[in-house]
Amino acid sequence: MNSLKILKIIKYYILLPLMLTKDFFHLVYEVARHVPKGRVTSYGAIGKYLGSGKSARMVGWAMNAAHSQKKFVPAHRVVNRNGELTGKHHFGHPKLMQKLLEREGIKVKNDKIVNFKNLFWDPAEELKP
DNA sequence: ACTCTGACGAACC
DNA sequence: TGGTTCGCCAGAG
């Protein structure tokens, strides 16, 4: 049992559960709400910004519950790191996510965002304190 | 208790 | 550079 292992245990068995049970999801939604129209971000970027870079899956999981939130969450502006619309099947209709994006001026080709690199909105950069 | 499956992503062949 | 593996953790069964 080395010190690195102990750190990991603290992080993943104490800190993360606290965040998850308290307000990790709400933080995710709050970040997502800051994504401007016509821009997109990624699951990993949000996770990283919130200090748990390795739990991008949890951000995706949070998005799954985003639709039932009172306040609107622009879940369609969150895609994976390659700019692919991997979450489109969770929008009622598979084409809905693409339509929502196109309505904001984003072009989508083969479930992939055109010019993703320039449209990418990084919370770590934009939401600096 | 245990396995499996993901709206993920980095590291490694 | 493209496929595979691995770490991650919440739910479902």
Side-chain angles (χ1 to χ4, degrees):
Chain A
M1 178 78 76
N2 56 36
S3 55
L4 182 65
K5 205 162 184 179
I6 293 175
L7 274 177
K8 274 190 127 176
I9 290 175
I10 291 175
K11 177 169 183 184
Y12 292 112
Y13 292 85
I14 300 176
L15 293 181
L16 265 183
L18 271 178
M19 292 170 64
L20 288 171
T21 54
K22 274 191 145 182
D23 49 13
F24 180 70
F25 278 25
H26 292 292
L27 289 174
V28 170
Y29 301 145
E30 207 48 50
V31 175
R33 287 191 190 104
H34 282 79
V35 182
K37 272 190 185 181
R39 303 287 298 279
V40 288
T41 191
S42 74
Y43 306 100
I46 294 179
K48 198 172 173 186
Y49 174 71
L50 294 179
S52 50
K54 289 178 183 173
S55 37
R57 298 187 99 138
M58 290 305 99
V59 177
W61 188 250
M63 286 307 162
N64 200 26
H67 300 290
S68 54
Q69 288 298 302
K70 276 186 185 174
K71 277 179 79 179
F72 173 67
V73 180
H76 58 284
R77 293 181 201 144
V78 187
V79 296
N80 80 352
R81 82 190 140 117
N82 295 320
E84 294 157 344
L85 278 52
T86 43
K88 63 173 185 172
H89 297 295
H90 299 264
F91 278 82
H93 190 280
K95 281 270 175 187
L96 183 56
M97 185 177 188
Q98 178 171 341
K99 282 200 166 181
L100 288 170
L101 288 170
E102 286 173 341
R103 197 174 298 169
E104 299 178 354
I106 295 175
K107 287 181 180 166
V108 179
K109 201 170 185 180
N110 295 333
D111 292 333
K112 202 166 176 181
I113 289 178
V114 179
N115 203 13
F116 173 64
K117 220 177 167 184
N118 292 327
L119 294 178
F120 181 67
W121 184 90
D122 186 4
E125 281 297 318
E126 313 282 350
L127 295 182
K128 268 182 185 168

